[in-house]
Amino acid sequence: MKRARFPAAAIGTHSLRDDSLALGIGLPFGHGDAGALLKLLEEARRANTASVRPAPGRALLMIGVPPKQAPLLCSAAERLGFITTCDDPRRRVVACAGAPACAAAQIPTRALAPVVSAVAEVDATTIHLSGCAKGCAHPEPAALTIVGIDGKCGIVRNGRAQDAPAEFVAADDVPRLLGERTAVREAAHG
């Protein structure tokens, strides 16, 4: 499998013409709860940030951050659970709203996403967690797609949520399955 390559990302610190900075903050799995977002905006206001805008790659861009305030704002975002570096493993995982937020979803994708990002192989490209076969969050093929079908997790390698799964496991078994496969690969290469 190829090593993960991320396109140029908004995440990180970017210099602006007026000597202020833009600070890109990622939303884990494309999602942020209202309380955490409000706290992040309070921190941005405290740091004298001029504005906050949505950015490509499931991110927010804090515009006009004074250079001395950027490290403090970045630390606050990290404490609140946001992504502050491009190599964060949560960037590899794309998750739909899942159950119970979506009526069509068969599995709790948002609950699975942090666990999957923690145990998935380091060199993985995109991992798609889809609550159902519609594949709304990521319509393209992914290195690994975990799709909810009849309350189980269908495992699709190098495919889309609409493709036939090679196997089915219970949602609780997904972390173990990924961990076992990573251990087998490491033993074979190590």
Side-chain angles (χ1 to χ4, degrees):
M1 189 171 291
K2 286 181 154 181
R3 182 151 182 86
R5 287 192 55 197
F6 298 110
I11 296 172
T13 305
H14 312 278
S15 298
L16 300 177
R17 288 185 201 158
D18 66 357
D19 294 326
S20 69
L21 300 172
L23 181 62
I25 305 294
L27 300 170
F29 321 115
H31 173 78
D33 74 22
L37 287 167
L38 284 172
K39 288 177 184 173
L40 180 63
L41 291 175
E42 288 170 12
E43 294 292 339
R45 187 177 300 122
R46 249 186 241 121
N48 296 316
T49 300
S51 65
V52 179
R53 300 178 185 169
R58 304 176 298 173
L60 298 173
L61 201 55
M62 313 276 179
I63 308 287
V65 179
K68 289 183 179 180
Q69 296 296 321
L72 298 171
L73 183 53
C74 186
S75 293
E78 192 172 324
R79 276 193 315 277
L80 290 167
F82 292 95
I83 296 171
T84 59
T85 61
C86 285
D87 62 350
D88 190 304
R90 296 174 294 172
R91 291 191 64 225
R92 295 189 320 257
V93 179
V94 178
C96 71
C102 175
Q106 296 288 313
I107 57 173
T109 59
R110 295 280 181 202
L112 280 172
V115 178
V116 167
S117 69
V119 299
E121 60 192 64
V122 174
D123 289 340
T125 52
T126 302
I127 299 170
H128 178 200
L129 295 174
S130 185
C132 70
K134 290 188 293 184
C136 299
H138 188 77
E140 300 89 27
L144 176 65
T145 297
I146 300 169
V147 57
I149 300 174
D150 296 329
K152 296 269 188 192
C153 294
I155 308 299
V156 179
R157 298 219 175 271
N158 299 309
R160 302 174 318 142
Q162 297 87 356
D163 296 339
E167 64 184 299
F168 289 90
V169 298
D172 292 344
D173 290 336
V174 169
R176 181 191 50 76
L177 176 76
L178 293 175
E180 285 173 359
R181 290 188 179 174
T182 299
V184 167
R185 278 190 199 93
E186 289 172 358
H189 292 86

